[in-house]
């Protein structure tokens, strides 16, 4: 059974400018291109569509929902990494610090978030496309590759990471396109 993790399209604002930006015009175009690309290679009519509750993920899912006529399920588990108590102005610096950490160095809210992501993936029972975020994709791919680092992969906007679930086992098939620039 296939699971695709799709990073949202380009956000209209960065992490230190808005807690929940929608997509930029480029991001909306990326979302359409992502749908066209994936639907040309895979029959998507039997997939569940799942999204983070954040606008940029939901807006990335829009072309899939509209073209496939499939309801979008919102799951908190696929929301970006929690940063409780961190102000908007401090977020970017805080996030850059998280990039350098090992999994064992995560604090309690981030460890719980990580565990919830992996638990939610374990419960998936049919082909699924998940619209999510940079850090979520890192948690999943890092776990499947048995990486110690929180960030080991820089998924581009609308990159598609493919996982296969066989019984209870998850296997990373391919990571999406990678980008070495700022995360928004």
């Amino acid at each position: 059974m296939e699971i695709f993790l799709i990073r949202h399209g380009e956000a209209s604002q960065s992490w230190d400018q808005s807690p929940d930006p929608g997509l930029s015009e480029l991001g909306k175009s990326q979302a359409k291109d992502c749908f066209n690309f994936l639907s040309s290679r895979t029959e998507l009519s039997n997939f569940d569509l799942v999204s983070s509750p954040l606008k940029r993920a939901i807006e990335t899912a829009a072309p899939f929902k509209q073209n496939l006529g499939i309801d979008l399920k919102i799951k908190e588990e696929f929301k970006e990494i929690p940063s409780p108590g961190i102000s908007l102005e401090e977020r970017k610096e805080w996030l850059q610090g998280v990039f350098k950490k090992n999994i064992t160095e995560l604090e309690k809210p981030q460890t719980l978030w990580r565990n919830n992501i992996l638990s939610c993936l374990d419960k998936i029972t049919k082909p699924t496309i998940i619209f999510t975020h940079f850090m979520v994709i890192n948690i999943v791919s890092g776990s499947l590759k048995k990486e110690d680092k929180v960030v080991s992969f820089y998924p581009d906007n609308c990159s598609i990471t493919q996982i296969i679930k066989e019984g209870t086992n998850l296997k990373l098939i391919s990571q999406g396109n990678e980008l070495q620039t700022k995360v928004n």
Side-chain angles (χ1 to χ4, degrees):
M1 167 183 57
E2 286 182 298
I3 300 171
F4 294 108
L5 299 171
I6 297 178
R7 181 175 177 221
H8 61 79
E10 180 186 79
S12 61
Q13 294 177 296
S14 68
W15 245 55
D16 58 343
Q17 295 172 323
S18 172
D20 191 14
L23 293 179
S24 67
E25 288 306 312
L26 175 59
K28 291 174 187 175
S29 178
Q30 290 169 334
K32 289 176 190 172
D33 291 346
C34 182
F35 170 76
N36 291 334
F37 175 82
L38 193 55
S39 65
S40 72
R41 288 161 176 72
T42 305
E43 172 54 49
L44 301 177
S45 62
N46 65 333
F47 276 73
D48 275 349
L49 300 179
V50 173
S51 179
S52 153
L54 298 178
K55 287 179 198 173
R56 57 197 181 273
I58 292 170
E59 290 178 11
T60 302
F64 289 79
K65 182 180 175 190
Q66 291 164 356
N67 287 293
L68 299 171
I70 298 172
D71 288 336
L72 182 64
K73 299 173 185 171
I74 305 299
K75 292 210 176 245
E76 288 286 327
E77 291 87 347
F78 298 113
K79 192 173 182 178
E80 188 58 279
I81 188 168
S83 57
I86 307 296
S87 72
L88 202 56
E89 296 78 26
E90 298 170 315
R91 257 188 183 167
K92 190 173 186 177
E93 185 178 329
W94 174 82
L95 186 59
Q96 289 170 341
V98 172
F99 274 39
K100 299 172 187 169
K101 290 185 177 190
N102 287 331
I103 295 295
T104 56
E105 297 174 301
L106 289 175
E107 295 180 15
K108 189 174 181 177
Q110 293 79 32
T111 299
L112 180 60
W113 164 81
R114 177 186 183 271
N115 294 343
N116 286 339
I117 292 166
L118 299 175
S119 176
C120 193
L121 277 177
D122 284 340
K123 294 174 186 170
I124 290 176
T125 59
K126 68 179 282 192
T128 303
I129 301 171
I130 302 167
F131 301 90
T132 191
H133 307 274
F134 180 96
M135 295 298 282
V136 173
I137 294 168
N138 265 282
I139 290 301
V140 173
S141 63
S143 175
L144 296 178
K145 294 187 311 184
K146 309 229 182 295
E147 296 274 348
D148 292 330
K149 289 286 200 192
V150 173
V151 173
S152 60
F153 169 53
Y154 288 76
D156 199 355
N157 293 116
C158 285
S159 72
I160 303 168
T161 297
Q162 182 183 18
I163 297 168
I164 296 289
K165 186 172 183 184
E166 297 169 336
T168 58
N169 296 321
L170 294 170
K171 180 180 177 185
L172 182 64
I173 301 301
S174 64
Q175 292 181 311
N177 294 333
E178 191 164 14
L179 181 65
Q180 294 276 349
T181 62
K182 69 175 185 172
V183 177
N184 60 8

